[in-house]
Amino acid sequence: MRETRDLEFKQSVSKTFLKTVSAFANYSTGTILFGVDDDGEVIGLEDPVGDALKIENMINDSIDPVPRYSLLVDEQAKTVGLRVYEGRSKPYLYARKAYRRGDSASIEVDRVELSRLILSGQNMTFDEAPSNGTDFSFEVLSERIMSHLGLTSFDDNTLRTLGLKLPDGSYNHAAEILADHNDLAGVDMVRFGATISEFLDRKTVTGVSVLQQYDAALEWYERYCTYEVVEGALRKKVERIPREAFREAVANALVHRVWDIPANVTIGIYDDKVVVTSPGGLPEGISVDDYLGGGISVPRNPLIANVFFRLDYIEQFGTGITRINDAYEEALVKPTYEVRESSMVVALPCVTAVSGGVLPDESLVLQTLSRTLLLSRGDVEQRTGFTKSKTIRILNNLVQRGLVAAEGEGRSRRYRRA
């Protein structure tokens, strides 16, 4: 056995285990085994029954409020198992401090995490909590709501209906996030060149309504993720990234991000993909499988989600990942999702050259090539793992079909995506 996030070993009973009691009660149910050393070897306790009573008294006297727990004494092995259950009356404090689990240790939470625990204990989300701001304007929100819902006016009653005003007339954080001007984070958009060190364009939008942040992202989509081609006498717009997938990824990032830290949603536009990164890991109560499977939604900011839903910026709650995947149904390349402890990352691959009759091996070559960086045949061969003859055959075929551009002759011949 080894220690994990939800399992800790203690050779004997000492005050240090109380930090772990706080951590399990605050974040996730876990077990502490007494009479087991750090390597997972059972060494036993001299008096397991007496130690169980001691553990019970220490928890009752030292943890505020007292969490739900259970004790199991194994008199044969001379061990005591303490099961601590995650509670609802957060934060659970030991010596006036709250703790969380690291990899296999209990660590004091910072002020941001403590604030989140307090809100959780009040069954309240960040966007529902009172804001310190008192003077907000809502010209952008009022225009969108009136236009989309067909209202003739937008006043305090409308704000209360949307849940943006508290019973005492003060604003909550949702109102602040949707206000025309605020002191909150926003979106940071970058158009990269051949490498991540080459910035071709950059725009940061902060301190304004989240609706304006959404607009700014869609403007960049139109600028860098679409282009026009002439077919006969007609002009046709081509989407490098499916618009529906981009829209869903950005809307989800803004709706489900954490707002209590000064971190921006980032949108990185590369030659072959768009990467949308949202501050904050998974909301409490949802697993990675739930997130990737779709259909289950635990909105981190339900009031913001409700406004986006009313404006048809998002469809039903919990369908974002499904809609992104549906947008790539006919493409050979697929979106990828990465769930980190403090962020969520969605990568949307370019589909313009990898749909409509392109074989999987050709798709791999196209993904390897850049629109700006010239690569040799050997470079492509090394990156794909294909043989020399196969690489030459695929490159020549793609060049003939206009999907790849070639420059130079002989050994100096180089390739890039058209």
Side-chain angles (χ1 to χ4, degrees), residues 10-13 33-37 41-52 55 72-81:
K10 292 293 183 183
Q11 296 186 37
S12 59
V13 179
L33 291 179
F34 296 88
V36 180
D37 67 17
E41 295 293 331
V42 176
I43 59 175
L45 301 167
E46 290 186 8
D47 181 13
V49 175
D51 281 339
I55 291 167
L72 178 63
V73 178
D74 186 335
E75 295 192 55
Q76 183 175 358
K78 291 186 176 298
T79 61
V80 176

PDB file of all heavy atoms in Angstrom, residues 10-13 33-37 41-52 55 72-81:
ATOM      1  N   LYS A  10      -0.559   6.561   9.571  1.00  0.00           N
ATOM      2  CA  LYS A  10       0.009   7.138  10.786  1.00  0.00           C
ATOM      3  C   LYS A  10       0.507   5.998  11.674  1.00  0.00           C
ATOM      4  O   LYS A  10      -0.243   5.063  11.965  1.00  0.00           O
ATOM      5  CB  LYS A  10      -1.038   7.966  11.550  1.00  0.00           C
ATOM      6  CG  LYS A  10      -1.467   9.242  10.837  1.00  0.00           C
ATOM      7  CD  LYS A  10      -0.332  10.249  10.741  1.00  0.00           C
ATOM      8  CE  LYS A  10      -0.783  11.542  10.101  1.00  0.00           C
ATOM      9  NZ  LYS A  10       0.349  12.506   9.947  1.00  0.00           N
ATOM     10  N   GLN A  11       1.778   6.091  12.089  1.00  0.00           N
ATOM     11  CA  GLN A  11       2.316   5.054  12.968  1.00  0.00           C
ATOM     12  C   GLN A  11       1.666   5.125  14.346  1.00  0.00           C
ATOM     13  O   GLN A  11       1.483   4.097  15.004  1.00  0.00           O
ATOM     14  CB  GLN A  11       3.834   5.211  13.098  1.00  0.00           C
ATOM     15  CG  GLN A  11       4.582   5.004  11.784  1.00  0.00           C
ATOM     16  CD  GLN A  11       6.089   5.020  11.987  1.00  0.00           C
ATOM     17  OE1 GLN A  11       6.586   4.536  12.990  1.00  0.00           O
ATOM     18  NE2 GLN A  11       6.797   5.586  11.022  1.00  0.00           N
ATOM     19  N   SER A  12       1.343   6.334  14.794  1.00  0.00           N
ATOM     20  CA  SER A  12       0.762   6.530  16.118  1.00  0.00           C
ATOM     21  C   SER A  12      -0.211   7.696  16.054  1.00  0.00           C
ATOM     22  O   SER A  12      -0.346   8.366  15.014  1.00  0.00           O
ATOM     23  CB  SER A  12       1.862   6.801  17.149  1.00  0.00           C
ATOM     24  OG  SER A  12       2.604   7.969  16.786  1.00  0.00           O
ATOM     25  N   VAL A  13      -0.877   7.955  17.166  1.00  0.00           N
ATOM     26  CA  VAL A  13      -1.853   9.039  17.226  1.00  0.00           C
ATOM     27  C   VAL A  13      -1.172  10.309  17.716  1.00  0.00           C
ATOM     28  O   VAL A  13      -0.654  10.360  18.834  1.00  0.00           O
ATOM     29  CB  VAL A  13      -3.015   8.665  18.173  1.00  0.00           C
ATOM     30  CG1 VAL A  13      -4.018   9.822  18.241  1.00  0.00           C
ATOM     31  CG2 VAL A  13      -3.707   7.394  17.702  1.00  0.00           C
ATOM     32  N   LEU A  33      -5.246   5.445   8.329  1.00  0.00           N
ATOM     33  CA  LEU A  33      -4.972   4.188   9.016  1.00  0.00           C
ATOM     34  C   LEU A  33      -3.901   4.408  10.066  1.00  0.00           C
ATOM     35  O   LEU A  33      -2.773   4.807   9.738  1.00  0.00           O
ATOM     36  CB  LEU A  33      -4.522   3.120   8.013  1.00  0.00           C
ATOM     37  CG  LEU A  33      -5.581   2.602   7.029  1.00  0.00           C
ATOM     38  CD1 LEU A  33      -4.968   1.564   6.093  1.00  0.00           C
ATOM     39  CD2 LEU A  33      -6.767   2.000   7.781  1.00  0.00           C
ATOM     40  N   PHE A  34      -4.235   4.156  11.321  1.00  0.00           N
ATOM     41  CA  PHE A  34      -3.287   4.292  12.422  1.00  0.00           C
ATOM     42  C   PHE A  34      -2.687   2.912  12.727  1.00  0.00           C
ATOM     43  O   PHE A  34      -3.391   1.892  12.697  1.00  0.00           O
ATOM     44  CB  PHE A  34      -3.983   4.836  13.665  1.00  0.00           C
ATOM     45  CG  PHE A  34      -4.522   6.225  13.493  1.00  0.00           C
ATOM     46  CD1 PHE A  34      -5.798   6.440  12.981  1.00  0.00           C
ATOM     47  CD2 PHE A  34      -3.753   7.334  13.841  1.00  0.00           C
ATOM     48  CE1 PHE A  34      -6.302   7.724  12.829  1.00  0.00           C
ATOM     49  CE2 PHE A  34      -4.244   8.622  13.695  1.00  0.00           C
ATOM     50  CZ  PHE A  34      -5.525   8.814  13.189  1.00  0.00           C
ATOM     51  N   GLY A  35      -1.373   2.910  13.010  1.00  0.00           N
ATOM     52  CA  GLY A  35      -0.674   1.659  13.236  1.00  0.00           C
ATOM     53  C   GLY A  35      -0.027   1.133  11.979  1.00  0.00           C
ATOM     54  O   GLY A  35       0.338  -0.045  11.892  1.00  0.00           O
ATOM     55  N   VAL A  36       0.145   2.014  10.981  1.00  0.00           N
ATOM     56  CA  VAL A  36       0.767   1.666   9.698  1.00  0.00           C
ATOM     57  C   VAL A  36       1.860   2.687   9.419  1.00  0.00           C
ATOM     58  O   VAL A  36       1.632   3.898   9.552  1.00  0.00           O
ATOM     59  CB  VAL A  36      -0.271   1.659   8.549  1.00  0.00           C
ATOM     60  CG1 VAL A  36       0.391   1.286   7.226  1.00  0.00           C
ATOM     61  CG2 VAL A  36      -1.407   0.695   8.874  1.00  0.00           C
ATOM     62  N   ASP A  37       3.050   2.225   9.024  1.00  0.00           N
ATOM     63  CA  ASP A  37       4.142   3.166   8.771  1.00  0.00           C
ATOM     64  C   ASP A  37       4.051   3.754   7.372  1.00  0.00           C
ATOM     65  O   ASP A  37       3.154   3.391   6.579  1.00  0.00           O
ATOM     66  CB  ASP A  37       5.513   2.514   9.014  1.00  0.00           C
ATOM     67  CG  ASP A  37       5.846   1.418   8.009  1.00  0.00           C
ATOM     68  OD1 ASP A  37       5.201   1.350   6.937  1.00  0.00           O
ATOM     69  OD2 ASP A  37       6.765   0.604   8.293  1.00  0.00           O
ATOM     70  N   GLU A  41       3.513  -0.649   5.837  1.00  0.00           N
ATOM     71  CA  GLU A  41       3.672  -1.856   6.647  1.00  0.00           C
ATOM     72  C   GLU A  41       2.915  -1.703   7.972  1.00  0.00           C
ATOM     73  O   GLU A  41       3.014  -0.675   8.645  1.00  0.00           O
ATOM     74  CB  GLU A  41       5.152  -2.107   6.939  1.00  0.00           C
ATOM     75  CG  GLU A  41       5.985  -2.416   5.696  1.00  0.00           C
ATOM     76  CD  GLU A  41       5.611  -3.743   5.064  1.00  0.00           C
ATOM     77  OE1 GLU A  41       5.168  -4.645   5.819  1.00  0.00           O
ATOM     78  OE2 GLU A  41       5.737  -3.872   3.834  1.00  0.00           O
ATOM     79  N   VAL A  42       2.154  -2.731   8.321  1.00  0.00           N
ATOM     80  CA  VAL A  42       1.397  -2.705   9.575  1.00  0.00           C
ATOM     81  C   VAL A  42       2.347  -2.952  10.739  1.00  0.00           C
ATOM     82  O   VAL A  42       3.021  -3.989  10.800  1.00  0.00           O
ATOM     83  CB  VAL A  42       0.287  -3.776   9.568  1.00  0.00           C
ATOM     84  CG1 VAL A  42      -0.429  -3.794  10.921  1.00  0.00           C
ATOM     85  CG2 VAL A  42      -0.713  -3.499   8.451  1.00  0.00           C
ATOM     86  N   ILE A  43       2.418  -1.978  11.655  1.00  0.00           N
ATOM     87  CA  ILE A  43       3.276  -2.137  12.833  1.00  0.00           C
ATOM     88  C   ILE A  43       2.446  -2.237  14.106  1.00  0.00           C
ATOM     89  O   ILE A  43       2.942  -2.689  15.136  1.00  0.00           O
ATOM     90  CB  ILE A  43       4.270  -0.955  12.945  1.00  0.00           C
ATOM     91  CG1 ILE A  43       3.522   0.375  13.055  1.00  0.00           C
ATOM     92  CG2 ILE A  43       5.218  -0.933  11.753  1.00  0.00           C
ATOM     93  CD1 ILE A  43       4.424   1.565  13.284  1.00  0.00           C
ATOM     94  N   GLY A  44       1.184  -1.865  14.045  1.00  0.00           N
ATOM     95  CA  GLY A  44       0.270  -2.010  15.161  1.00  0.00           C
ATOM     96  C   GLY A  44       0.388  -0.922  16.219  1.00  0.00           C
ATOM     97  O   GLY A  44       1.386  -0.196  16.295  1.00  0.00           O
ATOM     98  N   LEU A  45      -0.661  -0.817  17.006  1.00  0.00           N
ATOM     99  CA  LEU A  45      -0.721   0.111  18.130  1.00  0.00           C
ATOM    100  C   LEU A  45      -0.741  -0.691  19.432  1.00  0.00           C
ATOM    101  O   LEU A  45      -1.249  -1.820  19.473  1.00  0.00           O
ATOM    102  CB  LEU A  45      -1.981   0.979  18.043  1.00  0.00           C
ATOM    103  CG  LEU A  45      -2.144   1.852  16.786  1.00  0.00           C
ATOM    104  CD1 LEU A  45      -3.572   2.393  16.719  1.00  0.00           C
ATOM    105  CD2 LEU A  45      -1.139   2.985  16.782  1.00  0.00           C
ATOM    106  N   GLU A  46      -0.211  -0.133  20.490  1.00  0.00           N
ATOM    107  CA  GLU A  46      -0.202  -0.833  21.772  1.00  0.00           C
ATOM    108  C   GLU A  46      -1.624  -1.002  22.319  1.00  0.00           C
ATOM    109  O   GLU A  46      -1.975  -2.039  22.878  1.00  0.00           O
ATOM    110  CB  GLU A  46       0.666  -0.082  22.788  1.00  0.00           C
ATOM    111  CG  GLU A  46       2.153  -0.135  22.491  1.00  0.00           C
ATOM    112  CD  GLU A  46       2.970   0.489  23.605  1.00  0.00           C
ATOM    113  OE1 GLU A  46       2.382   0.821  24.676  1.00  0.00           O
ATOM    114  OE2 GLU A  46       4.188   0.637  23.426  1.00  0.00           O
ATOM    115  N   ASP A  47      -2.447   0.021  22.156  1.00  0.00           N
ATOM    116  CA  ASP A  47      -3.806  -0.008  22.698  1.00  0.00           C
ATOM    117  C   ASP A  47      -4.775   0.575  21.672  1.00  0.00           C
ATOM    118  O   ASP A  47      -5.186   1.734  21.765  1.00  0.00           O
ATOM    119  CB  ASP A  47      -3.872   0.791  23.998  1.00  0.00           C
ATOM    120  CG  ASP A  47      -5.255   0.779  24.636  1.00  0.00           C
ATOM    121  OD1 ASP A  47      -6.110  -0.042  24.204  1.00  0.00           O
ATOM    122  OD2 ASP A  47      -5.498   1.598  25.547  1.00  0.00           O
ATOM    123  N   PRO A  48      -5.142  -0.197  20.628  1.00  0.00           N
ATOM    124  CA  PRO A  48      -5.991   0.347  19.563  1.00  0.00           C
ATOM    125  C   PRO A  48      -7.355   0.827  20.054  1.00  0.00           C
ATOM    126  O   PRO A  48      -7.878   1.826  19.559  1.00  0.00           O
ATOM    127  CB  PRO A  48      -6.133  -0.823  18.584  1.00  0.00           C
ATOM    128  CG  PRO A  48      -5.785  -2.039  19.369  1.00  0.00           C
ATOM    129  CD  PRO A  48      -4.781  -1.606  20.386  1.00  0.00           C
ATOM    130  N   VAL A  49      -7.942   0.146  21.054  1.00  0.00           N
ATOM    131  CA  VAL A  49      -9.244   0.578  21.559  1.00  0.00           C
ATOM    132  C   VAL A  49      -9.121   1.927  22.266  1.00  0.00           C
ATOM    133  O   VAL A  49      -9.920   2.848  22.053  1.00  0.00           O
ATOM    134  CB  VAL A  49      -9.827  -0.485  22.517  1.00  0.00           C
ATOM    135  CG1 VAL A  49     -11.125   0.036  23.138  1.00  0.00           C
ATOM    136  CG2 VAL A  49     -10.088  -1.793  21.779  1.00  0.00           C
ATOM    137  N   GLY A  50      -8.075   2.070  23.083  1.00  0.00           N
ATOM    138  CA  GLY A  50      -7.856   3.341  23.758  1.00  0.00           C
ATOM    139  C   GLY A  50      -7.513   4.451  22.785  1.00  0.00           C
ATOM    140  O   GLY A  50      -7.964   5.597  22.953  1.00  0.00           O
ATOM    141  N   ASP A  51      -6.723   4.118  21.740  1.00  0.00           N
ATOM    142  CA  ASP A  51      -6.364   5.126  20.741  1.00  0.00           C
ATOM    143  C   ASP A  51      -7.593   5.573  19.938  1.00  0.00           C
ATOM    144  O   ASP A  51      -7.691   6.742  19.535  1.00  0.00           O
ATOM    145  CB  ASP A  51      -5.294   4.578  19.799  1.00  0.00           C
ATOM    146  CG  ASP A  51      -3.906   4.618  20.419  1.00  0.00           C
ATOM    147  OD1 ASP A  51      -3.709   5.412  21.363  1.00  0.00           O
ATOM    148  OD2 ASP A  51      -3.012   3.871  19.967  1.00  0.00           O
ATOM    149  N   ALA A  52      -8.522   4.661  19.682  1.00  0.00           N
ATOM    150  CA  ALA A  52      -9.750   5.034  18.969  1.00  0.00           C
ATOM    151  C   ALA A  52     -10.533   6.072  19.761  1.00  0.00           C
ATOM    152  O   ALA A  52     -11.058   7.048  19.197  1.00  0.00           O
ATOM    153  CB  ALA A  52     -10.601   3.801  18.711  1.00  0.00           C
ATOM    154  N   ILE A  55      -8.679   9.364  19.455  1.00  0.00           N
ATOM    155  CA  ILE A  55      -8.912   9.979  18.144  1.00  0.00           C
ATOM    156  C   ILE A  55     -10.264  10.682  18.134  1.00  0.00           C
ATOM    157  O   ILE A  55     -10.401  11.821  17.658  1.00  0.00           O
ATOM    158  CB  ILE A  55      -8.842   8.907  17.038  1.00  0.00           C
ATOM    159  CG1 ILE A  55      -7.407   8.398  16.890  1.00  0.00           C
ATOM    160  CG2 ILE A  55      -9.363   9.468  15.717  1.00  0.00           C
ATOM    161  CD1 ILE A  55      -7.297   7.140  16.050  1.00  0.00           C
ATOM    162  N   LEU A  72     -13.012   2.273  12.891  1.00  0.00           N
ATOM    163  CA  LEU A  72     -13.031   0.813  12.831  1.00  0.00           C
ATOM    164  C   LEU A  72     -11.757   0.298  13.484  1.00  0.00           C
ATOM    165  O   LEU A  72     -10.649   0.571  13.009  1.00  0.00           O
ATOM    166  CB  LEU A  72     -13.119   0.328  11.387  1.00  0.00           C
ATOM    167  CG  LEU A  72     -13.089  -1.198  11.189  1.00  0.00           C
ATOM    168  CD1 LEU A  72     -14.313  -1.840  11.861  1.00  0.00           C
ATOM    169  CD2 LEU A  72     -13.043  -1.546   9.708  1.00  0.00           C
ATOM    170  N   VAL A  73     -11.921  -0.451  14.584  1.00  0.00           N
ATOM    171  CA  VAL A  73     -10.782  -1.009  15.310  1.00  0.00           C
ATOM    172  C   VAL A  73     -10.564  -2.453  14.870  1.00  0.00           C
ATOM    173  O   VAL A  73     -11.494  -3.267  14.918  1.00  0.00           O
ATOM    174  CB  VAL A  73     -11.008  -0.949  16.827  1.00  0.00           C
ATOM    175  CG1 VAL A  73      -9.828  -1.581  17.571  1.00  0.00           C
ATOM    176  CG2 VAL A  73     -11.214   0.487  17.290  1.00  0.00           C
ATOM    177  N   ASP A  74      -9.349  -2.752  14.420  1.00  0.00           N
ATOM    178  CA  ASP A  74      -8.949  -4.118  14.081  1.00  0.00           C
ATOM    179  C   ASP A  74      -8.032  -4.608  15.200  1.00  0.00           C
ATOM    180  O   ASP A  74      -6.831  -4.327  15.213  1.00  0.00           O
ATOM    181  CB  ASP A  74      -8.225  -4.142  12.737  1.00  0.00           C
ATOM    182  CG  ASP A  74      -7.916  -5.558  12.253  1.00  0.00           C
ATOM    183  OD1 ASP A  74      -7.820  -6.471  13.114  1.00  0.00           O
ATOM    184  OD2 ASP A  74      -7.739  -5.757  11.036  1.00  0.00           O
ATOM    185  N   GLU A  75      -8.619  -5.327  16.162  1.00  0.00           N
ATOM    186  CA  GLU A  75      -7.847  -5.741  17.334  1.00  0.00           C
ATOM    187  C   GLU A  75      -6.810  -6.809  16.989  1.00  0.00           C
ATOM    188  O   GLU A  75      -5.796  -6.925  17.674  1.00  0.00           O
ATOM    189  CB  GLU A  75      -8.796  -6.246  18.425  1.00  0.00           C
ATOM    190  CG  GLU A  75      -9.710  -5.161  18.968  1.00  0.00           C
ATOM    191  CD  GLU A  75     -10.436  -5.583  20.226  1.00  0.00           C
ATOM    192  OE1 GLU A  75      -9.756  -5.987  21.182  1.00  0.00           O
ATOM    193  OE2 GLU A  75     -11.680  -5.511  20.236  1.00  0.00           O
ATOM    194  N   GLN A  76      -7.047  -7.570  15.934  1.00  0.00           N
ATOM    195  CA  GLN A  76      -6.071  -8.585  15.542  1.00  0.00           C
ATOM    196  C   GLN A  76      -4.814  -7.938  14.967  1.00  0.00           C
ATOM    197  O   GLN A  76      -3.691  -8.307  15.326  1.00  0.00           O
ATOM    198  CB  GLN A  76      -6.688  -9.544  14.527  1.00  0.00           C
ATOM    199  CG  GLN A  76      -5.748 -10.685  14.123  1.00  0.00           C
ATOM    200  CD  GLN A  76      -6.426 -11.678  13.201  1.00  0.00           C
ATOM    201  OE1 GLN A  76      -7.599 -11.546  12.881  1.00  0.00           O
ATOM    202  NE2 GLN A  76      -5.687 -12.691  12.783  1.00  0.00           N
ATOM    203  N   ALA A  77      -4.995  -6.967  14.056  1.00  0.00           N
ATOM    204  CA  ALA A  77      -3.843  -6.268  13.473  1.00  0.00           C
ATOM    205  C   ALA A  77      -3.380  -5.109  14.340  1.00  0.00           C
ATOM    206  O   ALA A  77      -2.322  -4.530  14.089  1.00  0.00           O
ATOM    207  CB  ALA A  77      -4.200  -5.745  12.081  1.00  0.00           C
ATOM    208  N   LYS A  78      -4.204  -4.781  15.349  1.00  0.00           N
ATOM    209  CA  LYS A  78      -3.929  -3.659  16.244  1.00  0.00           C
ATOM    210  C   LYS A  78      -3.823  -2.331  15.481  1.00  0.00           C
ATOM    211  O   LYS A  78      -2.892  -1.546  15.650  1.00  0.00           O
ATOM    212  CB  LYS A  78      -2.644  -3.914  17.057  1.00  0.00           C
ATOM    213  CG  LYS A  78      -2.778  -5.032  18.079  1.00  0.00           C
ATOM    214  CD  LYS A  78      -1.539  -5.127  18.925  1.00  0.00           C
ATOM    215  CE  LYS A  78      -1.702  -6.182  20.026  1.00  0.00           C
ATOM    216  NZ  LYS A  78      -2.804  -5.863  20.970  1.00  0.00           N
ATOM    217  N   THR A  79      -4.782  -2.109  14.600  1.00  0.00           N
ATOM    218  CA  THR A  79      -4.856  -0.862  13.838  1.00  0.00           C
ATOM    219  C   THR A  79      -6.215  -0.211  14.051  1.00  0.00           C
ATOM    220  O   THR A  79      -7.181  -0.855  14.484  1.00  0.00           O
ATOM    221  CB  THR A  79      -4.656  -1.097  12.327  1.00  0.00           C
ATOM    222  OG1 THR A  79      -5.703  -1.962  11.847  1.00  0.00           O
ATOM    223  CG2 THR A  79      -3.288  -1.723  12.056  1.00  0.00           C
ATOM    224  N   VAL A  80      -6.274   1.072  13.724  1.00  0.00           N
ATOM    225  CA  VAL A  80      -7.533   1.825  13.760  1.00  0.00           C
ATOM    226  C   VAL A  80      -7.708   2.513  12.417  1.00  0.00           C
ATOM    227  O   VAL A  80      -6.791   3.197  11.936  1.00  0.00           O
ATOM    228  CB  VAL A  80      -7.541   2.879  14.893  1.00  0.00           C
ATOM    229  CG1 VAL A  80      -8.825   3.710  14.838  1.00  0.00           C
ATOM    230  CG2 VAL A  80      -7.400   2.214  16.249  1.00  0.00           C
ATOM    231  N   GLY A  81      -8.871   2.328  11.834  1.00  0.00           N
ATOM    232  CA  GLY A  81      -9.190   3.013  10.578  1.00  0.00           C
ATOM    233  C   GLY A  81     -10.162   4.149  10.834  1.00  0.00           C
ATOM    234  O   GLY A  81     -11.226   3.935  11.431  1.00  0.00           O
TER     235      GLY A  81
END
